[in-house]
Amino acid sequence: MTPPTTRNPAPMAPRLQGAGLTHVGRVRTENEDSILTDPAGLLWAVADGMGGQGHGAMASDIVIDHVAKLDDHAPAAPTLRAALLAANAAILDLAAQQNLGQIGATAVVALIQSCVAHLAWAGDCRAYLLRAGHLRLLSRDHTVVQEMIDEGLLSDENRERHPQRHVVTRAVGADPALEIDHVSAPLVPGDRLLLCSDGLTTCLPDSRIADLISAAGDPREACTDLLRAALEAGAPDNVSVIVVGVEG
């Protein structure tokens, strides 16, 4: 007698859980960072505003407003690029209409589809992937210092001591011909994706960031621990962090 055929149950899709925090820091009087968190776990962003008299906050808000309109299921790379380019045009228009001078925001955006993190960025907000305790930088800074490192004129160890370490070469709203970088990274259960402003990485080395995320029980705890450590280190700039976990 032929035994009945049984179907193996389909594997459950990994579940995304994330959290985000932003803080003015220890020195600044205004927080010009803005973040986007997504209850569905798919769309996340950090924007770090630049410009005096609160104009940087306006720029970062414009970036987040445009990213928040994205369709979670649209083709990731062109959709992310289009959102940042639209924000770029909106900031340029605002600056021209109100005679604000040059304002803008560095930004990093993540859209997660089918357990692949699609990332787009301009400036020195960063994206990292923590897997099995190892922290890997997914983005590449658009800064004068990074260009010097790439050309062999400066060692990575001296990055944070260089007087031009905060000079960015790209920002949303700074140039009509903005170039957006993009990368994709497959995710597996146990991974942690980190998006952050340079207010975090100025204060904490990668090894410390990896230790804090690894030790945290969940993304909310990881964000709290990262922010606390940055504040304890002096936090001269606004600090923004987003941590997204992939659960099996």
Side-chain angles (χ1 to χ4, degrees):
M1 184 174 180
T2 304
T5 301
T6 58
R7 291 182 61 194
N8 292 324
M12 293 190 63
R15 182 171 62 90
L16 300 173
Q17 179 186 14
L21 292 173
T22 183
H23 194 283
V24 68
R26 294 291 193 191
V27 176
R28 301 289 179 89
T29 58
E30 181 180 6
N31 191 350
E32 295 190 325
D33 286 3
S34 298
I35 65 173
L36 174 66
T37 59
D38 183 2
L42 303 178
L43 184 62
W44 310 85
V46 171
D48 180 353
M50 305 180 302
Q53 301 178 339
H55 299 148
M58 295 168 60
S60 65
D61 283 345
I62 289 173
V63 172
I64 296 301
D65 287 346
H66 279 76
V67 171
K69 298 173 184 176
L70 290 181
D71 181 347
D72 291 344
H73 305 290
T79 300
L80 292 173
R81 183 175 182 275
L84 291 178
L85 289 179
N88 188 63
I91 294 170
L92 287 167
D93 286 346
L94 176 68
Q97 292 170 7
Q98 299 190 16
N99 195 27
L100 301 179
Q102 188 176 67
I103 65 173
T106 60
V108 60
V109 185
L111 177 57
I112 302 175
Q113 297 176 334
S114 302
C115 249
V116 176
H118 302 277
L119 303 161
W121 72 96
D124 57 358
C125 288
R126 289 183 178 179
Y128 289 90
L129 178 64
L130 180 78
R131 177 174 294 169
H134 174 68
L135 190 69
R136 177 164 61 99
L137 180 61
L138 300 176
S139 58
R140 175 186 172 278
D141 291 351
H142 301 138
T143 61
V144 169
V145 163
Q146 184 62 55
E147 290 181 353
M148 294 176 67
I149 292 172
D150 293 344
E151 295 171 5
L153 302 175
L154 183 72
S155 67
D156 191 62
E157 292 75 17
N158 292 320
R159 175 193 298 270
E160 294 304 327
R161 292 192 290 272
H162 196 277
Q164 291 184 299
R165 64 188 181 279
H166 295 304
V167 179
V168 297
T169 56
R170 297 188 207 175
V172 184
D175 187 338
L178 175 66
E179 293 183 47
I180 306 295
D181 278 358
H182 175 270
V183 72
S184 297
L187 303 175
V188 300
D191 282 354
R192 295 291 183 266
L193 181 69
L194 168 67
L195 308 182
C196 63
S197 64
D198 69 327
L200 178 73
T201 52
T202 296
C203 293
L204 303 179
D206 288 1
S207 58
R208 177 68 169 148
I209 292 172
D211 289 345
L212 288 169
I213 299 177
S214 297
D218 57 38
R220 171 62 63 176
E221 183 181 349
C223 288
T224 300
D225 292 347
L226 289 168
L227 180 56
R228 181 185 296 115
L231 293 172
E232 290 173 352
D237 198 357
N238 309 147
V239 183
S240 294
V241 295
I242 286 173
V243 176
V244 183
V246 184
E247 312 299 334

